[in-house]
Amino acid sequence: MTADDDSRRPGEPPREHAFYGRRKGKKLRTAQAAHLAADLPRLSIALDEVGAGPLAALFPHPVRAVRLEIGFGGGEHLVSEAARHPEIGYIGAEAFLNGIAKATARVAELGLTNVRLYGDDVIPLLDRLPSGALERIDLLYPDPWPKRRHWKRRFVQADNIDRFARLLAPGGHFRFATDIEHYAAWTLRQFLADPRFDWTAERADDWRLPWDGWPSTRYEAKALREGRRPGYYEFRRR
């Protein structure tokens, strides 16, 4: 099987969706569990909240745009971006309970009011969000599923690219970071072939160096320790 074999052909129905990934890890720390109980209810998004009105209404104060981060891990990047840009609303989606707990605690400790969290498989959320409602979508260090038989589990697939294209406003951006060369090539191949997106890189440093304001994450630190060079790829919706 090749990368092209795993992409839908024009006219084919979307592939049947299945969730791959862990839901829970080690026991939560006492403080994390306390924040989940006290703070997650006001931060959490339910599917029935989405789609009935503008996404900006999810936040307790006006925001000029809404961004989505898929699989935010421990929330390092999500929280950093929300703190830097209080005028923008951030939706973070993560199915791993321990990551949700870390992000919830940090959002509460910083008193951020421009973050909402979705703690489940992101596909139903993507399918409920209004068309053209997002300024940016971030997918950072997703599971590369390196074995060939598992490539179909990678999040960057034709049907999800269709979702990104629907959700991003014209001029909106999809950002992707990985330290796995094959996954980078896989993603570039699909986006470069898609007439709805343009790769924004004009020189090598545009993808070799992190974006402005990038906070080092534990995934990036692990990659560098193990001798893998991360890449940072950005695509603009036409």
Side-chain angles (χ1 to χ4, degrees), residues 151-204:
W151 287 353
K152 64 181 179 294
R153 299 183 181 183
R154 289 177 169 176
F155 200 83
V156 177
Q157 303 283 352
D159 47 359
N160 285 334
I161 294 175
D162 286 343
R163 290 181 169 101
F164 301 157
R166 182 184 73 81
L167 292 172
L168 286 169
H173 289 237
F174 170 69
R175 304 201 309 182
F176 175 80
T178 185
D179 58 302
I180 304 301
E181 184 176 354
H182 184 270
Y183 202 179
W186 164 289
T187 299
L188 279 170
R189 185 182 306 118
Q190 296 197 53
F191 274 90
L192 290 175
D194 194 312
R196 298 169 294 185
F197 290 92
D198 293 313
W199 188 20
T200 63
E202 297 179 353
R203 58 188 68 84

Side-chain angles (χ1 to χ4, degrees), residues 31-178:
Q32 290 176 342
H35 278 298
L36 277 184
D39 300 304
L40 186 59
R42 66 178 173 82
L43 297 175
S44 182
I45 293 176
L47 282 179
D48 59 10
E49 289 184 84
V50 179
L55 280 189
L58 293 174
F59 302 92
H61 56 78
V63 295
R64 69 165 181 80
V66 179
R67 298 174 179 176
L68 169 69
E69 183 169 338
I70 298 172
F72 58 72
E76 300 100 319
H77 177 264
L78 176 70
V79 171
S80 174
E81 285 290 284
R84 291 176 63 231
H85 300 289
E87 79 284 2
I88 296 174
Y90 286 85
I91 298 173
E94 174 60 64
F96 187 48
L97 180 62
N98 299 65
I100 298 166
K102 289 180 181 179
T104 298
R106 193 64 180 141
V107 167
E109 290 165 358
L110 293 176
L112 299 178
T113 58
N114 59 332
V115 177
R116 297 294 302 272
L117 302 176
Y118 181 75
D120 207 339
D121 176 12
V122 73
I123 296 299
L125 176 65
L126 296 180
D127 290 341
R128 289 291 296 268
L129 291 172
S131 297
L134 298 175
E135 180 187 65
R136 197 176 79 201
I137 299 173
D138 291 338
L139 180 66
L140 310 175
Y141 293 96
D143 193 323
W145 296 106
K147 294 181 180 179
R148 182 181 291 263
R149 67 178 182 272
H150 292 156
W151 287 353
K152 64 181 179 294
R153 299 183 181 183
R154 289 177 169 176
F155 200 83
V156 177
Q157 303 283 352
D159 47 359
N160 285 334
I161 294 175
D162 286 343
R163 290 181 169 101
F164 301 157
R166 182 184 73 81
L167 292 172
L168 286 169
H173 289 237
F174 170 69
R175 304 201 309 182
F176 175 80
T178 185

Side-chain angles (χ1 to χ4, degrees), residues 141 176-185 203-210 219-233:
Y141 293 96
F176 175 80
T178 185
D179 58 302
I180 304 301
E181 184 176 354
H182 184 270
Y183 202 179
R203 58 188 68 84
D205 279 353
D206 290 341
W207 60 267
R208 287 178 177 169
L209 299 178
Y219 299 109
E220 181 187 58
K222 179 181 179 182
L224 293 172
R225 284 197 309 270
E226 296 177 358
R228 296 187 302 276
R229 183 169 190 170
Y232 305 87
Y233 306 90

